[in-house]
Amino acid sequence: MKRLVKPSTLQLTMPFGKTLTFTVVFLILFGSAAEGMARLDVFQARLTPPTLGSRHSQLGYKLTLLNADIRNKGPVDCIMVGSSTVDVGFDPEVFQHAYYAVTGHEIHCFNFGIDASSSISAAVLANILVEDYHPRLLIFGTDARDYAVKREDRDTAVVLDSPWIRYRDGHFSPEGWLLDHSYLYQYRQHLAVLLRFNSQGALWSTTNMSYKLRSNGLNPIETVGAYINDPPDPDDDSYEVVYYKRIYSSYQMLDENLAALEQIMDHKRSGTEVIVVEMPVSDGLYYFFGNGELDYDRFVAQVEKRASRHQVPFWRTEPLDSIPDNDWSDYSHLNLSGAEIFSSWLGEKVARLETQKDADSIQQ
Amino acid sequence: MNITSLHFVLFTAFVVALYYCLPQRLQNFWLLFASYVFIATWNWHFAVIVGLVTIANFLIGLRLRVNGQGWRGLLWFGIGVNVSTLVLFRAAKFFLPELEAVLGSLGISTQAGSLKILIPLGLSYYVLQAISYLVDVYRGQLKAESNIVNFALYLAYFPKLIAGPIERARTFLPKLAQPRVVDNQVIARSVMLIFIGVARKLLIADLLNVSLLSDVFEIPAKYTPPELVLWLVIYAFALYNDFAGYTDMVRGVSGLFGIELSANFRAPYFARNFTEFWKRWHITLSEWLRDYIYFPLSRLLSRNAPGQHKVANLILPPMLTMLVSGMWHGLSLHMLVWGGLHGLYQIIERIPALWRPTVPPQSQPIWRQWLGMGVVFTFVILAWVPFRWELPAAFELWGALLNWSDVAIRYRRLFLVMPILFASLLIDLLQHKSEDEFIFLNWSPLARAACMAIILLLVFIATGDDFEQAFVYQAF
């Protein structure tokens, strides 16, 4: 028998490795079969969407909803990205109706607002969504908070630290690659939970969602916020008030966040129409800023300046100052009625812009 | 660095690869270095403690025999050093709060709970190995080891450090002095052990463990007797597979270095009497207790009270041995009760031997063997109650088992875990029937490969939620 290796301790002889080779072959076979099963609709229908390695459940949910929406209604024409203000404030259905009323054309939109994201996470998500779904219109719903939170901020990091997001953002990792290419890997966490006799969070049938997303991505909020036009009670230590004070009391727009805004607007160069829209905020929010409306105006001016440089429309929502007090859920989030008003206004505005462009191109 | 972690896999792969490249004279140095790195990954203080225990025992061992005579006082001193080290760390959780109170009364303030001592990794295991070394050297059964590297490796060898097997110096040290050979068969055996160990730990023990509702341990009276019986069976199999899985894994890893470690389990739940159970359960600890407590005590009693059928000889050696076993597992009353119960079982089992010769189980009729198996399993799982539960809950559980007015089984998971229990029984049955733990190597390469691929795929899925359970016996 011939020695395979020279060292005195390791004395392997031929034939060697037959079982290991078969194991690899079987592993590929069984793994492929499992991957095939994980891709079946019947398998995915019972499981909650995979988290894609993120601690933020909304990311996986919205991607799954978007894929299902495309399967049911065809390719998506426009996607709106942004933070929770978009998540709860943009109703694609109302938007589509308003658009149709002006143009007589159908448009298929999806709300990809992610709770707690900033302009940086919105930019990364926009890259992925444009690359994968090729919408003709990308709308970025922005607010002052988008530029004040640091990349390392817990809330922003929760989206950006997802291995899948990092992989798609150009940081290779085996986990990110697997999440991007393998459904089995995406659902692995759920399967592990199920193996441990705990279906909570893994099966739709046993999962109590803290929010109910609509198939078009809207996260409808029915609650009506109180006193949103008044300054906050100094003794109020609710999460929302403490959070706004932290973010806005010495308001700074960070360069990395402004650069992310420009990155979103850069999609215009590759043929995607980009619109930046200021998300409505209640008058009460100004009280949180150290310099009141001056700080807020600084935010508007900075966004306006960059939008104009990129020749991207930036729409203020001043015309919506008339949103009734009952149509807010808190200082900066619309409830369902508020979302209807905002989305209808936006749909109409987009329709008019496109009609105008069509008219311009005919004239030319 | 947990041995089921990817870090451990990479660490082992690196250590093994370099080990094969080194000349034999450097291999033990390398293994010793790797072992101390492994210990330091848990806590560098642990490495210091292993080092101190090693130096103390090495020096004592060198002076234990003078002119062919054992130095009894030094032996007891050495045993005292080892035992007191173990007791000091084990008892720390009891006396530290008292010490804090005393310091407080003297006006020396300490923050509550600031005095903390972590029990060094594997201390209970290497202390027993050190004692066995000293006793064997004292008895002249082993020459004192003059090579500090080999001796240090005997105590700190990383595959067996965390939770054994408890190796004897007289069998382990010669392996370190010889050239090791890792050929096809050794690799095949080692890989098989690793796969069985991984399956036992990650696919059987961990899943059984998580199926146990925490209430079972806190409010056992909440459950009906059939449910409690099933929870106990699940616990029994979880504990067994956890430890047996660990042992198989580390034996497999050690095999890759060409160093064979002792088996610790041999289908213990197929034991037909309690004596046999202890020959199948945590074998290396049982043998240690037998050789260094049971036999010396039995001999002492026989010398002082000659005659084979003396009641003292029937009662004291098994009872004291099992009580020591209980204390080794934990300085607590419930562990003492667990040890005491096993002592009692063995005493009762031996009573007929007072008037008739003992018939070995394999010579008994089949029905007696099956009956014996059932009786042993029943009483062993009843004894697991104080092993796992504190005494008040243990009594509550035993009490609840007496009232069979409600026989409902309300938890679906009690049925869902059955395939896992059967998987455990199947592995044991195949090994037990063939009396060969490597029976799977007789299978065709295709069958083995299919099983290994299934295990890998299931492990890949089962570890998908970053859930990690420490080995139960790591805590002892």
Side-chain angles (χ1 to χ4, degrees):
Chain A
M1 281 191 283
K2 196 181 155 193
R3 284 265 179 92
L4 281 181
V5 277
K6 214 173 175 184
S8 59
T9 300
L10 191 60
Q11 298 181 6
L12 299 180
T13 50
M14 286 299 277
F16 175 78
K18 201 171 163 186
T19 309
L20 287 179
T21 311
F22 284 150
T23 304
V24 173
V25 172
F26 274 120
L27 198 58
I28 293 168
L29 279 175
F30 296 157
S32 305
E35 176 66 27
M37 273 176 63
R39 286 171 184 262
L40 294 176
D41 284 348
V42 66
F43 171 88
Q44 294 181 11
R46 296 195 65 192
L47 296 169
T48 54
T51 60
L52 298 167
S54 166
R55 284 175 289 133
H56 200 311
S57 62
Q58 241 186 16
L59 178 64
Y61 277 51
K62 289 232 168 172
L63 266 180
T64 305
L65 285 173
L66 175 57
N67 290 327
D69 199 41
I70 289 169
R71 270 201 305 273
N72 294 333
K73 297 180 186 165
V76 73
D77 300 306
C78 80
I79 296 178
M80 185 158 180
V81 293
S83 64
S84 54
T85 54
V86 172
D87 178 45
V88 302
F90 175 63
D91 186 338
E93 201 181 329
V94 174
F95 176 92
Q96 287 161 191
H97 282 306
Y99 181 89
Y100 183 80
V102 175
T103 62
H105 299 300
E106 300 278 353
I107 189 168
H108 179 195
C109 278
F110 191 86
N111 177 337
F112 215 96
I114 296 285
D115 182 29
S117 80
S118 68
S119 61
I120 301 179
S121 33
V124 175
L125 283 171
N127 288 346
I128 296 169
L129 294 169
V130 168
E131 191 182 324
D132 290 358
Y133 301 99
H134 316 292
R136 65 178 166 84
L137 175 63
L138 176 70
I139 307 173
F140 176 38
T142 189
D143 59 74
R145 182 193 151 278
D146 283 334
Y147 308 94
V149 286
K150 291 179 183 160
R151 194 219 168 285
E152 309 79 48
D153 189 276
R154 193 175 59 92
D155 292 332
T156 306
V158 85
V159 180
L160 292 174
D161 286 349
S162 147
W164 179 72
I165 293 276
R166 286 185 58 73
Y167 170 78
R168 292 300 305 266
D169 197 28
H171 303 94
F172 180 83
S173 70
E175 190 181 5
W177 185 89
L178 280 167
L179 281 167
D180 199 45
H181 290 84
S182 164
Y183 280 72
L184 179 64
Y185 196 82
Q186 286 183 17
Y187 282 101
R188 181 173 162 237
Q189 191 180 8
H190 288 354
L191 294 174
V193 168
L194 288 172
L195 263 180
R196 300 188 193 291
F197 311 96
N198 178 14
S199 54
Q200 197 71 33
L203 287 181
W204 279 118
S205 55
T206 54
T207 302
N208 289 320
M209 297 280 293
S210 57
Y211 47 82
K212 294 261 186 279
L213 297 180
R214 288 191 181 165
S215 60
N216 55 23
L218 170 69
N219 178 10
I221 294 188
E222 309 270 0
T223 51
V224 175
Y227 309 115
I228 39 90
N229 290 327
D230 297 336
D233 180 346
D235 297 329
D236 189 345
D237 59 354
S238 63
Y239 171 79
E240 175 199 4
V241 167
V242 171
Y243 181 76
Y244 286 146
K245 280 181 182 167
R246 177 165 72 83
I247 296 289
Y248 295 133
S249 59
S250 52
Y251 183 66
Q252 292 292 323
M253 295 181 80
L254 304 174
D255 289 343
E256 56 179 358
N257 293 356
L258 288 165
L261 168 69
E262 302 207 39
Q263 202 185 323
I264 292 172
M265 294 190 289
D266 275 345
H267 286 290
K268 190 179 164 75
R269 287 189 196 164
S270 55
T272 308
E273 197 60 53
V274 180
I275 292 170
V276 179
V277 61
E278 172 200 12
M279 291 308 290
V281 291
S282 71
D283 291 343
L285 192 75
Y286 299 133
Y287 294 108
F288 290 95
F289 288 91
N291 300 311
E293 282 194 60
L294 282 176
D295 277 344
Y296 193 83
D297 290 344
R298 193 150 49 89
F299 142 67
V300 171
Q302 286 284 349
V303 176
E304 211 154 36
K305 190 172 88 184
R306 282 166 174 77
S308 138
R309 203 160 61 209
H310 285 77
Q311 294 181 315
V312 161
F314 171 55
W315 293 338
R316 301 288 315 274
T317 44
E318 279 159 336
L320 293 174
D321 279 352
S322 56
I323 289 181
D325 286 1
N326 283 346
D327 289 357
W328 299 86
S329 70
D330 63 31
Y331 292 99
S332 59
H333 294 95
L334 297 168
N335 62 20
L336 193 54
S337 316
E340 276 177 24
I341 296 171
F342 168 71
S343 308
S344 177
W345 168 82
L346 186 62
E348 204 179 309
K349 220 160 150 53
V350 169
R352 294 204 186 287
L353 177 77
E354 292 195 352
T355 313
Q356 182 63 44
K357 274 189 180 169
D358 288 346
D360 291 350
S361 63
I362 290 166
Q363 273 184 359
Q364 280 172 4
Chain B
M1 196 189 321
N2 201 318
I3 70 159
T4 51
S5 66
L6 186 61
H7 291 118
F8 184 79
V9 175
L10 298 174
F11 170 79
T12 304
F14 176 68
V15 175
V16 168
L18 200 57
Y19 176 83
Y20 290 152
C21 300
L22 290 172
Q24 196 223 327
R25 65 195 158 79
L26 292 179
Q27 284 179 335
N28 289 352
F29 277 106
W30 173 236
L31 283 181
L32 183 63
F33 175 74
S35 297
Y36 271 79
V37 169
F38 173 74
I39 300 168
T41 62
W42 291 80
N43 188 326
W44 68 268
H45 295 106
F46 294 171
V48 174
I49 292 160
V50 183
L52 290 174
V53 170
T54 301
I55 291 166
N57 282 286
F58 179 73
L59 294 175
I60 293 169
L62 287 178
R63 283 157 183 77
L64 211 47
R65 283 189 78 79
V66 183
N67 302 327
Q69 289 293 309
W71 183 358
R72 199 182 186 83
L74 189 61
L75 172 69
W76 283 108
F77 172 74
I79 293 173
V81 166
N82 286 299
V83 172
S84 55
T85 306
L86 183 58
V87 172
L88 177 80
F89 282 103
R90 276 283 171 85
K93 66 176 177 186
F94 302 114
F95 70 74
L96 282 183
E98 300 295 327
L99 182 64
E100 276 184 337
V102 171
L103 290 174
S105 67
L106 294 173
I108 305 165
S109 72
T110 56
Q111 281 186 336
S114 62
L115 293 179
K116 273 184 190 161
I117 296 182
L118 292 172
I119 298 177
L121 190 71
L123 178 69
S124 316
Y125 297 88
Y126 59 76
V127 155
L128 290 192
Q129 294 178 119
I131 291 172
S132 76
Y133 166 77
L134 294 180
V135 173
D136 288 357
V137 170
Y138 170 78
R139 284 173 179 170
Q141 292 169 333
L142 173 72
K143 204 168 157 258
E145 178 61 57
S146 55
N147 183 330
I148 181 100
V149 173
N150 287 4
F151 182 74
L153 188 55
Y154 163 58
L155 292 187
Y157 183 48
F158 77 90
K160 69 175 177 64
L161 181 96
I162 299 178
I166 299 162
E167 293 292 335
R168 300 298 176 78
R170 58 175 181 258
T171 54
F172 193 83
L173 285 171
K175 289 176 191 167
L176 297 183
Q178 290 164 0
R180 269 87 69 174
V181 173
V182 178
D183 57 17
N184 295 32
Q185 199 190 14
V186 171
I187 293 271
R189 284 172 167 237
S190 302
V191 170
M192 197 211 79
L193 280 173
I194 291 170
F195 267 83
I196 293 180
V198 165
R200 280 194 187 277
K201 167 64 182 163
L202 297 176
L203 300 179
I204 298 177
D206 281 1
L207 298 186
L208 289 177
N209 265 323
V210 292
S211 78
L212 288 161
L213 297 169
S214 57
D215 271 9
V216 180
F217 302 109
E218 286 152 18
I219 327 163
K222 190 177 151 186
Y223 298 94
T224 65
E227 286 169 351
L228 285 175
V229 168
L230 287 172
W231 291 129
L232 277 176
V233 171
I234 290 168
Y235 175 72
F237 275 88
L239 180 70
Y240 163 51
N241 281 286
D242 187 271
F243 197 14
Y246 158 83
T247 309
D248 284 341
M249 273 189 267
V250 297
R251 288 178 66 212
V253 168
S254 185
L256 298 176
F257 297 111
I259 298 172
E260 195 183 332
L261 294 181
S262 310
N264 244 347
F265 294 91
R266 225 171 272 131
Y269 292 140
F270 290 148
R272 292 154 292 191
N273 61 40
F274 292 104
T275 310
E276 194 186 16
F277 176 79
W278 285 105
K279 286 178 181 167
R280 292 172 174 274
W281 179 274
H282 204 173
I283 299 165
T284 56
L285 175 68
S286 303
E287 288 179 348
W288 191 98
L289 292 166
R290 181 197 64 193
D291 292 351
Y292 298 104
I293 295 179
Y294 185 95
F295 282 165
L297 195 60
S298 192
R299 277 196 293 268
L300 182 77
L301 288 168
S302 298
R303 269 202 303 272
N304 293 338
Q308 207 179 353
H309 296 159
K310 291 292 176 194
V311 176
N313 217 338
L314 177 87
I315 296 172
L316 288 178
M319 184 51 85
L320 281 175
T321 304
M322 292 319 297
L323 287 175
V324 170
S325 177
M327 282 165 65
W328 179 85
H329 283 85
L331 292 178
S332 56
L333 203 56
H334 64 102
M335 281 299 186
L336 218 54
V337 170
W338 169 76
L341 272 176
H342 272 284
L344 189 67
Y345 293 164
Q346 291 190 38
I347 292 164
I348 293 169
E349 184 172 85
R350 286 164 201 203
I351 288 174
L354 289 172
W355 62 82
R356 62 175 166 80
T358 310
V359 182
Q362 63 274 16
S363 307
Q364 291 173 347
I366 291 291
W367 70 267
R368 278 282 302 275
Q369 293 187 33
W370 278 96
L371 180 68
M373 228 181 274
V375 169
V376 170
F377 183 69
T378 305
F379 282 91
V380 164
I381 65 166
L382 285 174
W384 286 136
V385 175
F387 185 86
R388 173 59 182 82
W389 282 261
E390 295 284 342
L391 274 189
F395 283 118
E396 198 182 319
L397 198 152
W398 281 327
L401 281 175
L402 295 174
N403 177 15
W404 283 72
S405 54
D406 186 357
V407 291
I409 298 177
R410 299 159 298 173
Y411 297 89
R412 207 164 51 126
R413 64 174 66 188
L414 284 169
F415 300 103
L416 292 174
V417 297
M418 288 303 153
I420 303 173
L421 289 182
F422 286 130
S424 170
L425 279 170
L426 186 66
I427 296 172
D428 279 359
L429 192 69
L430 290 168
Q431 291 178 327
H432 178 68
K433 279 281 174 195
S434 60
E435 293 185 352
D436 177 12
E437 64 174 328
F438 299 105
I439 175 73
F440 304 105
L441 290 180
N442 298 338
W443 291 8
S444 74
L446 273 177
R448 261 184 291 156
C451 285
M452 284 158 74
I454 289 170
I455 289 172
L456 283 175
L457 196 61
L458 287 174
V459 166
F460 168 75
I461 291 169
T463 52
D465 58 350
D466 296 329
F467 176 88
E468 207 175 74
Q469 275 206 330
F471 290 97
V472 177
Y473 263 74
Q474 193 174 310
F476 296 137

